[in-house]
């Protein structure tokens, strides 16, 4: 198990601010470059079907300038598959998407339609794109993701992040820990993310099996007050302290 842990900076909500006024700024591509300079290990962005934040042109621009790697989050649609094959990100994370949701509400249900999921995983993997499944901390789901040939999972930490009290949070943390241990025992690369913040990241970062955390909303929010560089440096310091402590 690695003593270090990677930070994927999700730049979606830079685009949210831009789109709120229909301006050309702030530019997600500039955020990606600044994030890399501040120590981001990769850049994550979610091209939603409704294009509510990141747009096609953002993905193209970011892909052209990235020095680290791109983790493109996408739903399982033919349109998104064609985009991924065209853009060739280093990583794709397959996520569920519902038009009316405010944010991603859960992991991809690979048990519900394994043949459909398997075809996307296989096509992306055959194109040399490492494919991850955004997944709930659930053994049966993780087992199926593994059987379908996904080399990576990203455990959805939303329920942990949204826990209403300490007891609930501890129980969700245990689920994430057990899922990470189980997935690593299958040989999967284990990432995690969603809803992570400065006040809840350390317990997740301390899980030795987890290689990478993808964080967006909290970082972009904090950057309004301290700047993107400081927001990233502070988050990385918390993550690394938890991993080493
Ligand atoms: C897939 C996922 O985890 C989401 O967090 C996403 O990357 C952030 O974008 P939304 O806020 O639009 O859900
Ligand atoms: N996959 C999770 C992600 O990229 C960022 O989620 P959030 O920190 O914006 O909730």
């Amino acid at each position: 198990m690695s003593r270090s842990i990677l930070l994927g900076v999700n730049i979606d909500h830079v685009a949210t601010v831009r789109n709120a006024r229909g301006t050309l700024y702030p530019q997600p591509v500039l955020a990606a470059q600044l994030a890399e300079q501040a120590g981001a290990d990769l850049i994550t962005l979610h091209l939603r079907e409704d294009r509510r934040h990141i747009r096609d042109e953002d993905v193209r621009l970011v892909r052209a300038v990235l020095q680290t790697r791109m983790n493109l989050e996408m739903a399982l649609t033919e349109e998104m598959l064609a985009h991924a094959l065209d853009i060739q990100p280093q990583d794709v994370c397959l996520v569920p998407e519902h038009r009316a949701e405010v944010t991603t509400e859960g992991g991809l249900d690979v048990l519900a339609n394994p043949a459909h999921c398997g075809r996307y995983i296989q096509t992306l993997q055959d194109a040399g794109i490492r494919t991850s499944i955004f997944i709930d901390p659930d053994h049966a789901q993780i087992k199926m993701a593994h059987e379908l040939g996904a080399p990576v999972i990203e455990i959805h930490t939303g329920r942990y992040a949204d826990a209403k009290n300490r007891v609930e949070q501890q129980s969700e943390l245990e689920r994430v820990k057990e899922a990470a241990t189980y997935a690593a025992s299958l040989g999967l690369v284990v990432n995690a993310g969603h809803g992570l913040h400065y006040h809840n990241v350390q317990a997740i970062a301390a899980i030795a099996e987890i290689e990478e955390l993808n964080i967006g909303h909290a970082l972009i929010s904090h950057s309004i007050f301290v700047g993107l560089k400081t927001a990233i440096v502070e988050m990385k310091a918390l993550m690394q302290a938890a991993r080493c402590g």
Side-chain angles (χ1 to χ4, degrees):
M1 301 296 161
S2 170
R3 298 288 290 167
S4 64
I5 179 162
L6 304 178
L7 173 61
V9 173
N10 183 316
I11 57 171
D12 291 351
H13 298 297
V14 176
T16 302
V17 176
R18 175 195 61 192
N19 298 354
R21 291 293 291 269
T23 50
L24 295 175
Y25 63 87
Q27 291 183 25
V29 65
L30 187 54
Q33 289 179 299
L34 290 172
E36 284 188 325
Q37 287 163 23
D41 298 292
L42 63 138
I43 300 297
T44 293
L45 67 180
H46 185 175
L47 185 64
R48 278 185 173 267
E49 282 184 273
D50 62 10
R51 309 300 198 269
R52 66 174 71 163
H53 38 56
I54 294 294
R55 297 175 179 153
D56 304 42
E57 186 61 7
D58 298 322
V59 182
R60 266 192 291 278
L61 286 171
V62 172
R63 180 69 178 98
V65 302
L66 272 201
Q67 303 291 312
T68 55
R69 77 187 145 88
M70 173 186 280
N71 174 34
L72 178 65
E73 297 182 326
M74 58 172 240
L76 288 79
T77 67
E78 290 306 309
E79 187 210 2
M80 287 300 153
L81 185 59
H83 267 300
L85 295 176
D86 179 37
I87 295 288
Q88 290 281 314
Q90 286 84 357
D91 294 308
V92 154
C93 183
L94 294 172
V95 307
E97 229 175 75
H98 306 290
R99 200 53 68 83
E101 70 190 358
V102 171
T103 185
T104 312
E105 290 168 342
L108 189 67
D109 188 355
V110 286
L111 291 170
N113 201 341
H116 182 65
C117 296
R119 185 169 67 79
Y120 278 78
I121 295 168
Q122 213 49 61
T123 307
L124 290 162
Q125 286 284 118
D126 287 349
I129 301 168
R130 193 174 72 139
T131 307
S132 167
I133 305 290
F134 191 61
I135 204 160
D136 286 327
D138 176 282
H139 282 216
Q141 294 284 353
I142 292 168
K143 183 166 181 284
M144 181 56 79
H146 174 61
E147 284 172 9
L148 292 173
V152 186
I153 58 162
E154 177 172 323
I155 298 176
H156 179 45
T157 51
R159 287 175 66 119
Y160 161 79
D162 292 342
K164 299 279 176 292
N165 53 55
R166 285 263 164 213
V167 175
E168 198 180 308
Q169 188 184 47
Q170 193 55 37
S171 136
E172 291 300 333
L173 178 63
E174 288 309 319
R175 285 185 70 207
V176 175
K177 280 185 189 171
E178 281 171 24
T181 306
Y182 175 63
S185 78
L186 297 176
L188 288 162
V189 171
V190 185
N191 301 334
H194 199 86
L196 295 178
H197 213 296
Y198 295 84
H199 56 77
N200 66 16
V201 72
Q202 288 200 295
I204 298 291
I207 301 171
E209 288 82 3
I210 293 179
E211 297 198 7
E212 161 190 313
L213 297 182
N214 286 300
I215 307 181
H217 192 263
L219 280 175
I220 303 305
S221 302
H222 192 44
S223 77
I224 293 170
F225 302 109
V226 301
L228 189 56
K229 180 176 180 200
T230 303
I232 291 170
V233 168
E234 285 180 10
M235 184 62 83
K236 281 202 81 162
L238 283 172
M239 287 164 55
Q240 206 50 56
R243 181 55 65 101
C244 295

